[in-house]
Amino acid sequence: MHTLLAERRLPHHTLRTWEWTSSALGCSKRADVLVPHHRTGPLAALYLLHGFGGSRSTWLTGTRLAEHLAGRDLLVVLPESGRRWFVNDDRGVRYEDYLVHELVPFVDDRYADTLRPGVRGIGGFSMGGAAALMQALRHPDVFSTALSHAGAFEAPLRTGDPYAELRTARDTAIPSTEAHERVWGPSGSPVRARYELTALLAGHRPADPPLSVYADVGTGDYPRILGMNRRTARRLTEAGLDTDYRERPGGHDLAFLDQALPHSLEFAENRLGRSRPCVE
C-alpha cells in the first residue's frame, strides 16, 4: 500500500512524497515526485539519484532543480539510499531491486495518465551518477538515457582509501574503506564484478535499445574523479554509445551540480523526446 504523505505546490510543479514498505529492502521507504503544472504533451520520467550521504531532499535544498525543470516535459522522481548505492550490495541490501522492480512500476502505474509509456531516463551526482549509468547499462529495456555529474564510476575497482589525505583538509562526502566495502565487498567480490563498467559495456548488446549518455565533471574535482570520468567517456564513445561528455569549472560539490543541471536536463528532454516507447 502506497501512502501519499505530503503534497506541496511549488511555482512550476506539485511535489508529492510517497511512502510504502519495500519488499526488496524490508523497510519503509519514501520517494518524492515532481509533476509539472503545465505540459505540452505526455511526460518522460526521469529518476535522479543523490550522492553519498545525501537524500531525496538534496536536489531541492542543495540545487535549483525545480527552477531548472520549469517548462520541461519531465516528471522527476527522487528516491534515496543514504550511504548505500543503488545496487544489490555485498550485505544483501537490494537497492537495485527496489529501484527497478518496485519504484519504476509504481510510478508507471500511478502516473500512467501523464507519462509516455516506457520512456524513462536516470541520472545522478557522484555515487548517484555512477549508479545511474550502471543501471542504464544493466536495464536498457527500462532506461534509455543516463545522466551523470562527477560520477564515481570506478567504485568497483577501488581498494583501500585513495582519498585518505583529503579527509584531514576538509569535510568530504566520500566513503571510508569500511563504508565502501560494506557495499562493494572485498576486492574481487561478485558485487564488484557485476557492476564494473568495462564488463557492463562488453555485455551491452547491439540489439538493445540505443542508450544515450550525458556526463560532465568539474575541472577542479578530485584528480581521481576527473581521471575516471575521462576514461569512462572514452570507453562509452569507443563502445558506440551516443555520448555527450563535458568538463566544466567547479569542484565535487552541489554548486557544480547546480550549474551543470540545465545542460543535463536539456540533454535528457531532447533524447527522451526522441525515444520510442518500449513495448510493455
Side-chain angles (χ1 to χ4, degrees):
M1 175 66 71
H2 295 77
T3 302
L4 179 60
L5 287 184
E7 182 171 292
R8 181 159 59 101
R9 189 173 178 84
L10 304 179
H12 303 284
H13 298 80
T14 295
L15 173 65
R16 297 189 179 106
T17 300
W18 294 92
E19 181 181 59
W20 67 97
T21 299
S22 165
S23 298
L25 298 172
C27 63
S28 178
K29 293 301 297 181
R30 296 180 181 182
D32 287 341
V33 180
L34 279 166
V35 185
H37 295 158
H38 306 287
R39 62 183 189 272
T40 59
L43 305 175
L46 177 62
Y47 293 74
L48 293 180
L49 313 181
H50 60 75
F52 181 78
S55 72
R56 69 186 191 281
S57 65
T58 299
W59 295 96
L60 296 176
T61 60
T63 77
R64 295 170 292 168
L65 173 65
E67 179 182 330
H68 298 320
L69 284 168
R72 301 190 185 278
D73 285 339
L74 296 171
L75 179 142
V76 172
V77 185
L78 306 174
E80 60 188 357
S81 64
R83 294 176 180 266
R84 296 280 181 175
W85 288 61
F86 276 93
V87 300
N88 290 348
D89 72 22
D90 191 65
R91 300 287 179 89
V93 181
R94 295 161 47 212
Y95 266 103
E96 176 179 350
D97 289 347
Y98 160 71
L99 172 67
V100 176
H101 302 303
E102 293 184 13
L103 185 56
V104 168
F106 164 68
V107 171
D108 283 355
D109 180 65
R110 179 61 183 79
Y111 295 97
D113 59 335
T114 59
L115 290 175
R116 293 180 63 201
V119 179
R120 311 179 197 89
I122 185 169
F125 170 65
S126 190
M127 173 184 84
L133 179 57
M134 292 170 185
Q135 295 305 341
L137 288 168
R138 283 178 58 77
H139 300 280
D141 56 328
V142 178
F143 305 109
S144 63
T145 299
L147 316 173
S148 174
H149 300 286
F153 298 117
E154 294 179 4
L157 303 177
R158 173 180 155 176
T159 57
D161 188 357
Y163 304 98
E165 293 183 3
L166 300 173
R167 297 181 193 283
T168 59
R170 56 175 166 156
D171 182 28
T172 56
I174 298 175
S176 64
T177 301
E178 179 184 4
H180 189 77
E181 294 191 354
R182 185 166 60 241
V183 171
W184 295 104
S187 181
S189 72
V191 173
R192 290 177 183 251
R194 185 183 309 135
Y195 296 100
E196 199 276 313
L197 283 178
T198 301
L200 288 176
L201 285 169
H204 190 71
R205 305 178 303 279
D208 288 339
L211 176 63
S212 296
V213 181
Y214 173 94
D216 62 20
V217 66
T219 53
D221 206 323
Y222 307 118
R224 176 179 167 83
I225 296 290
L226 189 56
M228 70 177 67
N229 272 264
R230 289 171 175 169
R231 287 188 290 274
T232 298
R234 184 171 63 251
R235 289 170 183 145
L236 293 170
T237 301
E238 290 171 350
L241 299 185
D242 171 29
T243 305
D244 186 345
Y245 173 69
R246 306 291 179 93
E247 293 184 8
R248 308 181 185 282
H252 198 83
D253 51 39
L254 295 178
F256 167 77
L257 175 60
D258 184 58
Q259 294 297 319
L261 274 172
H263 305 283
S264 63
L265 294 173
E266 181 178 4
F267 179 92
E269 187 175 41
N270 178 273
R271 295 306 193 275
L272 292 170
R274 285 198 251 145
S275 294
R276 290 175 297 173
C278 298
V279 177
E280 295 288 305

